Amino acid sequence: MSPYLWPVIFIGGMLFLVFLWLLVPLFPTWIRSLTSGAKIGPLNLVLMRLMKINPHVVVQARIMAVQAGLSDVETKGLEAHYLAGGNILRVVQSLIAATRARVGLNWDTAAAIDLAGRDVLDAVRTSVDPKVIDCPDPSSGRTTLDGIAKNGIQLKARARVTVRTNLSQLVGGATEE
């Protein structure tokens, strides 16, 4: 053998050992994604790990999306949302809930709501099952809001407001309080 071939074999062997060192802990995760139909390759899992993305969370979110039949949830979108600081499991759960309730919500809107600091799953639940707010609050002990006009007429009022989330206008809107 040529003496120049030994360094090439050594460097190739070291690269192979580093790749195995990165891949061996991810092997169960890769098998899980493969058997569930999520189909995230081992090289993608290693690249996620190198980019400081938790591959276990991404695989779990992708499996949930695939099992629920969500076609617009891609691995790259999950990675980007994770790197942006979003909660990908919560977004996928909200997409599943919105699909089951037949509420029009896509990945981009749900991710934007999540990155805006809102609880997207709670927003979907409020869209499906509206909240009722009584004014004044019955727990305060008062049953009406009272006011007296300049001419001495007293007004007693009670209000009940039903709040339903409009998901398309949620990003950048007012807070719950």
Side-chain angles (χ1 to χ4, degrees), residues 59-71 73-74 78 92 95-96:
V59 167
Q60 184 178 353
R62 179 77 174 127
I63 288 171
M64 286 172 29
V66 167
Q67 295 296 324
L70 300 175
S71 60
V73 179
E74 297 293 329
L78 292 170
V92 171
L95 286 171
I96 293 169

Side-chain angles (χ1 to χ4, degrees), residues 7-8 24 98 150:
V8 172
V24 167
K150 285 185 180 181

Side-chain angles (χ1 to χ4, degrees), residues 65-142:
V66 167
Q67 295 296 324
L70 300 175
S71 60
D72 64 338
V73 179
E74 297 293 329
T75 306
K76 292 294 181 190
L78 292 170
E79 291 174 7
H81 191 67
Y82 185 89
L83 287 173
N87 187 341
I88 57 177
L89 293 176
R90 198 80 166 157
V91 173
V92 171
Q93 289 170 347
S94 69
L95 286 171
I96 293 169
T99 302
R100 297 295 182 254
R102 291 182 169 60
V103 175
L105 183 65
N106 60 12
W107 169 259
D108 294 330
T109 306
I113 292 169
D114 184 52
L115 290 178
R118 304 290 176 87
D119 185 358
V120 67
L121 186 57
D122 185 49
V124 170
R125 287 181 181 151
T126 305
S127 177
V128 174
D129 186 25
K131 291 182 181 177
V132 177
I133 301 172
D134 288 319
C135 186
D137 189 11
S139 64
S140 67
R142 300 185 67 191

